Amino acid sequence: MIALKITNVKQFMGKLLSSGDFDAFLTEEASISTYNTFLIDGHQNREFYSSEEWDDKEIRPYDFSTWKQIRPICHSLIKGTKTPSAFKFILHLMPDYIASILKEGDTGITPQQIKAFVLTVKYDGTVLTLITGTAFHTFIMDKSVDILWDNAIKRFLDKRGIGFEEL
């Protein structure tokens, strides 16, 4: 787990909210504080779907909504002349990409053992911080997968020209 301070908040927010750069993520949660605090639970709502739709992996491939689906809603809540007082997004890398992260190292950990590669985007009114995390289905002592995920996020940011400082 690492914490990264984003050095150009405006540029980062443009990439997060106005481009597809983060569309490989799922949204666990979004919280945006402006004139109200808006909370979005990214878990798909069982009651919304018929039984057939709920079980159809083409209609509902993930337990969480994609960032691509949630992004326009968050953008509409954040855009304007006043900066939000705070926000937090908890994002999970789509399961389809976990194997490619694991390929970078010789860990012996399989994609099935990983519940999520998590990226928390947090703004407190002045500083925007990214925090990485790894969730496993069972307890694992080996921290090499965490390091792979940390390094993958740094490469991801570098590739997109997003400046950061490690905290």
Side-chain angles (χ1 to χ4, degrees):
M1 181 170 78
I2 57 171
L4 305 171
K5 177 184 171 186
I6 298 301
T7 56
N8 186 331
V9 174
K10 185 175 181 174
Q11 177 213 30
F12 176 85
M13 292 307 294
K15 292 188 179 285
L16 181 68
L17 296 173
S18 300
S19 79
D21 286 353
F22 288 81
D23 287 355
F25 287 89
L26 304 172
T27 310
E28 178 183 346
E29 177 185 305
S31 170
I32 300 167
S33 295
T34 57
Y35 59 92
N36 288 108
T37 297
F38 299 91
L39 300 172
I40 298 171
D41 179 350
H43 290 85
Q44 300 251 352
N45 186 0
R46 173 69 179 98
E47 289 75 30
F48 181 75
Y49 295 96
S50 69
S51 295
E52 295 79 25
E53 290 171 323
W54 185 257
D55 294 332
D56 187 335
K57 292 298 178 190
E58 297 222 1
I59 295 173
R60 201 190 64 79
Y62 308 108
D63 291 333
F64 296 116
S65 292
T66 65
W67 175 247
K68 184 177 183 176
Q69 292 169 309
I70 300 297
R71 177 171 32 99
I73 298 163
C74 294
H75 186 254
S76 70
L77 292 171
I78 290 175
K79 73 179 179 182
T81 57
K82 292 188 78 171
T83 304
S85 57
F87 59 76
K88 181 169 86 170
F89 305 118
I90 302 174
L91 306 174
H92 294 205
L93 184 67
M94 288 181 175
D96 320 49
Y97 300 104
I98 290 175
S100 64
I101 302 292
L102 294 176
K103 266 198 270 187
E104 299 292 322
D106 186 23
T107 65
I109 304 294
T110 66
Q112 294 74 24
Q113 291 174 285
I114 296 175
K115 187 172 184 177
F117 281 134
V118 181
L119 181 65
T120 301
V121 179
K122 187 176 180 182
Y123 179 71
D124 66 4
T126 56
V127 177
L128 195 151
T129 308
L130 305 182
I131 302 165
T132 62
T134 307
F136 296 95
H137 288 286
T138 59
F139 179 75
I140 295 177
M141 294 275 298
D142 184 358
K143 298 298 176 203
S144 60
V145 173
D146 297 322
I147 294 167
L148 290 173
W149 176 232
D150 297 342
N151 291 335
I153 285 297
K154 289 183 209 176
R155 284 191 312 275
F156 175 85
L157 296 172
D158 283 339
K159 185 176 179 182
R160 286 155 182 81
I162 298 170
F164 61 89
E165 299 170 358
E166 211 162 329
L167 299 175

